[in-house]
């Protein structure tokens, strides 16, 4: 097996590097830790997102346009499907006690977001209005200036072998 220690970085693509730097440094408070000028005229910037991991962005003046509903979520939670090989969303780990304050900070900054903490459980709908013993993660969803769906997530319990109870689906079934 490989000696994987965790996520080093995820590399995304932005439409405007200055706007992206402002959002990730000024609103999310992630320090810009490395910048690279690419030989083809593009840029590659890295932000420290904690725990030794980074969120990185590529930018190219002539990059293809955004493709909501294909390469990114079109409208959460109503149109959340994305294409094979796309990134659906990026979740940042946060203490559960900090989620409500995160909502207020996003609101104050004018960032589009869910207006309540979402309680994910194993019910048919996958969410619950109220907190209960079956809620395994609580989340706040929002988007960055590039339309990338982001999440602040707090696990509310440790997983056990009983939490793995579904067979993997296949198109051939």
């Amino acid at each position: 097996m490989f000696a994987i220690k965790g996520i080093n970085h995820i590399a995304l693509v932005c439409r405007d590097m200055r706007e992206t730097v402002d959002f990730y440094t000024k609103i999310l408070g992630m320090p810009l830790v490395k910048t690279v000028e690419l030989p083809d005229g593009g840029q590659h910037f890295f932000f420290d997102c904690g725990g030794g991991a980074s969120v990185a962005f590529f930018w190219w003046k002539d990059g293809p346009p955004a493709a909501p509903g294909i390469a990114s979520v079109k409208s959460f939670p109503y149109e959340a499907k994305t294409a094979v090989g796309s990134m659906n969303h990026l979740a940042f780990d946060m203490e559960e006690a900090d989620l409500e304050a995160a909502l207020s900070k996003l609101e104050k900054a004018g960032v589009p977001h869910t207006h309540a903490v979402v309680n994910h459980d194993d019910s048919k709908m996958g969410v619950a209005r109220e907190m209960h013993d079956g809620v395994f993660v609580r989340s706040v969803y929002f988007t960055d200036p590039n339309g990338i769906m982001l999440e602040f997530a707090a696990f509310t319990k440790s997983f056990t072998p009983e939490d793995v109870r579904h067979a993997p689906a296949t198109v051939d079934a």
Side-chain angles (χ1 to χ4, degrees):
M1 299 305 283
F2 296 95
I4 296 171
K5 300 185 302 182
I7 299 292
N8 180 284
H9 72 276
I10 184 166
L12 307 170
V13 178
C14 66
R15 65 177 179 194
D16 183 291
M17 191 61 86
R18 183 180 306 142
E19 178 182 55
T20 299
V21 168
D22 285 348
F23 181 83
Y24 282 83
T25 59
K26 295 177 182 173
I27 294 178
L28 297 186
M30 294 181 186
L32 179 62
V33 295
K34 177 68 178 165
T35 63
V36 177
E37 291 288 333
L38 301 173
D40 62 2
Q43 295 183 316
H44 191 32
F45 285 18
F46 293 76
F47 302 86
D48 181 345
C49 67
S54 297
V55 175
F57 282 89
F58 283 100
W59 172 84
W60 293 280
K61 184 176 184 176
D62 59 350
I70 298 170
S72 63
V73 171
K74 188 171 186 178
S75 172
F76 181 79
Y78 310 106
E79 296 179 68
K81 290 180 185 175
T82 55
V84 172
S86 68
M87 185 193 76
N88 186 272
H89 69 280
L90 175 59
F92 299 107
D93 192 27
M94 180 176 278
E95 294 294 330
E96 183 180 1
D98 295 331
L99 291 172
E100 291 292 338
L103 281 172
S104 298
K105 290 176 184 177
L106 292 169
E107 184 73 31
K108 185 177 178 182
V111 176
H113 64 285
T114 52
H115 294 279
V117 176
V118 179
N119 299 310
H120 296 278
D121 65 5
D122 290 324
S123 67
K124 185 172 180 149
M125 291 300 295
V127 295
R129 288 186 187 270
E130 304 293 327
M131 185 62 186
H132 62 83
D133 288 343
V135 172
F136 61 90
V137 66
R138 302 188 77 213
S139 304
V140 171
Y141 294 94
F142 57 104
T143 54
D144 83 348
N146 305 293
I148 296 169
M149 189 166 78
L150 304 172
E151 174 186 0
F152 291 137
F155 285 122
T156 59
K157 66 179 206 157
S158 297
F159 296 121
T160 68
E162 290 76 35
D163 286 304
V164 180
R165 58 181 176 262
H166 301 91
T170 179
V171 186
D172 300 331

